[in-house]
DNA sequence: ATCGCACCATGCGCCTTCTGATTATCGAGG
DNA sequence: CCTCGATAATCAGAAGGCGCATGGTGCGAT
């Protein structure tokens, strides 16, 4: 699940990004209305979380602009206490939601998931499975053929991302963005190193390798039969 | 047990939330009908406590909307004295309940528990057990291998929350929200400190540690084969 | 006024992650 | 089929970060 948070309060944003990441969601953020709108315009997000009051361009006008360009990503509006006016009501009828500050993260999470579900985006599995390889996102357990494996945090995120996109080639750039939160090329072989270590844990000793290198493109995890 | 209180009177709400928390229930709240309905729609609660008179959308219409969406969470209606009209009576026959203000909290509690029980909801265990570690939510007693342990209040809440989610990684954000009621990052190591203290009480001197650190993710309690 | 609990700050130690060099593998073209 | 350049894999050392423990401070309760 990909989220975009458009919010100018730095602390609040950091807190949210961290919290969403902890539960395994990818959260980008924008600190003003223009930047946020530009990002959201691609329609690559499952849910947008938008502050009512923003520099450069307020939350409601962003939504209007998106809808005018037929970007139908559901939006959850954050508003200061008691600030919910009639326009917000109007928006809600469009299928979106609002939440007034202060709020509990768990509440926000619940609503975000509700929005995503309503829209039909799958609610995110708790267990990923590829052949006899299993990853449990709640307990952070990973096993192959029933054998428990010990992964490091980064390796876990890496595998989680790969398994979420099982059967698809995952590019290095995708990994940098979503597993490392790098938005630039580190010019090193970080990825290779971790792929190597991960591979030694999940594939070593098994006849059927699951983590495949796609030369020149990236990596892919899948039941190698075929 | 998870409760949702939909009530616009701030003081009354705070009082209830606190009171329920003291007896170990998780109580969310919404201050108007729309917000309440949105929250309740997820069906994540065991019982709803709904004021008759609410801004934006009155209590009965919320219930109607929920039932229309086949959300069958039992509802207890709070109504001003003598306000019990026929429609409310109708609801009662359907298995729900009402209570007129003013009321005693103990009575409210009893009815809420009755509703939860009638529904067959797993009413919430009163004793959590993980391996030889036991926590009694009613008596606030904690013991390991039959040995009574002395916990501080905060430590108790912490352990209670961890044990409720035994076998799952509990993130720092979850702890901040649910054990500390912080909705921001305190930028300190409060959690670490209390985990440390708790650990020294429940794990020190035992060969089998139960409270595990999941580096980069959070903490988890479980019968730690491993 | 005193006690005790919760919180904060600091420093330490270990584990994870990254780096950079080296070796291996791939694939295309001669 | 061999060679060569490019790409990927491996390895081990280093540094940084994260989590842990301890002692100190403040505040609320008794």
């Amino acid at each position: 699940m990909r989220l975009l948070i458009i919010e100018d309060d730095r602390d609040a944003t950091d807190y949210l990004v961290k919290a969403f990441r902890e539960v395994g969601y990818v959260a980008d953020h924008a600190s003003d209305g223009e930047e946020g709108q530009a990002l959201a315009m691609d329609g690559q997000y499952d849910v947008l979380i938008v502050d009512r009051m923003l520099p450069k361009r307020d939350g409601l006008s962003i939504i209007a602009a998106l809808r005018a360009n037929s970007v139908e990503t559901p939006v959850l509006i954050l508003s200061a206490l008691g600030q919910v006016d009639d326009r917000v009501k109007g928006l809600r009828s469009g299928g979106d939601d609002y939440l007034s500050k202060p709020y509990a993260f768990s509440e926000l999470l619940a609503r975000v998931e509700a929005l995503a579900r309503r829209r039909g985006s799958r609610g995110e599995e708790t267990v990923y499975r590829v052949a006899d390889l299993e990853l449990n996102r709640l307990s952070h357990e990973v096993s192959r053929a029933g054998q428990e494996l010990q992964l490091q945090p980064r390796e876990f995120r890496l595998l989680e991302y790969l398994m979420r996109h099982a059967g698809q080639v995952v590019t290095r750039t995708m990994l940098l963005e979503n597993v490392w939160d790098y938005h630039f090329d580190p010019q090193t072989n970080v990825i290779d190193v971790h792929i190597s270590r991960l591979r030694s844990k999940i594939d070593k000793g098994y006849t059927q390798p699951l983590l495949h290198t796609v030369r020149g493109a990236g990596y892919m995890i899948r039941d190698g039969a075929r």
Side-chain angles (χ1 to χ4, degrees), chain A:
Chain A
M1 173 121 82
R2 291 186 67 89
L3 307 175
L4 176 64
I5 299 168
I6 313 180
E7 157 74 89
D8 56 327
D9 180 341
R10 193 96 202 145
D11 292 340
T13 307
D14 290 348
Y15 175 74
L16 285 181
V17 169
K18 199 192 271 179
F20 276 117
R21 179 153 300 142
E22 281 174 356
V23 293
Y25 293 171
V26 178
D28 291 346
H29 59 94
S31 51
D32 67 63
E34 286 186 357
E35 186 189 353
Q37 181 175 328
L39 279 172
M41 212 53 106
D42 287 338
Q44 58 175 322
Y45 297 100
D46 297 300
V47 174
L48 309 179
I49 297 169
V50 181
D51 193 16
R52 245 319 291 280
M53 304 277 285
L54 283 170
K56 300 240 175 90
R57 181 179 278 271
D58 92 281
L60 297 181
S61 102
I62 292 178
I63 299 168
L66 290 175
R67 300 295 184 247
N69 283 276
S70 60
V71 173
E72 302 296 344
T73 313
V75 178
L76 190 148
I77 298 167
L78 296 179
S79 57
L81 188 63
Q83 211 190 41
V84 186
D85 63 12
D86 288 341
R87 290 185 293 169
V88 174
K89 271 196 204 158
L91 283 165
R92 293 200 64 210
S93 63
D96 296 322
D97 201 356
Y98 81 97
L99 187 58
S100 42
K101 306 176 184 178
Y103 50 83
F105 176 72
S106 54
E107 188 172 321
L108 176 58
L109 180 61
R111 294 190 179 209
V112 164
E113 289 182 333
L115 279 181
R117 212 177 308 122
R118 198 183 306 170
R119 192 210 188 193
S121 143
R122 75 177 189 295
E124 214 56 65
E125 306 291 334
T126 66
V127 178
Y128 293 140
R129 243 179 290 270
V130 172
D132 56 353
L133 178 65
E134 282 192 15
L135 178 146
N136 183 317
R137 298 178 56 228
L138 279 185
S139 66
H140 273 231
E141 285 174 336
V142 177
S143 65
R144 171 121 199 222
Q147 193 73 28
E148 184 91 2
L149 299 178
Q150 213 59 0
L151 298 195
Q152 296 177 344
R154 178 73 22 121
E155 291 165 3
F156 183 87
R157 280 183 71 180
L158 177 56
L159 181 59
E160 182 183 6
Y161 189 81
L162 286 166
M163 291 185 79
R164 180 179 300 150
H165 298 90
Q168 305 170 17
V169 173
V170 170
T171 68
R172 280 157 190 278
T173 308
M174 289 163 71
L175 292 175
L176 283 178
E177 298 247 337
N178 296 293
V179 178
W180 272 265
D181 297 320
Y182 286 179
H183 298 287
F184 53 91
D185 187 342
Q187 312 272 15
T188 70
N189 64 348
V190 221
I191 293 183
D192 306 49
V193 170
H194 281 86
I195 287 283
S196 170
R197 306 200 65 194
L198 178 59
R199 186 174 268 152
S200 76
K201 291 185 180 176
I202 67 176
D203 275 347
K204 181 169 278 182
Y206 298 91
T207 48
Q208 183 69 276
L210 299 178
L211 178 46
H212 308 275
T213 301
V214 184
R215 205 156 232 266
Y219 297 92
M220 174 167 59
I221 220 162
R222 81 156 163 205
D223 190 342
R226 175 168 87 108

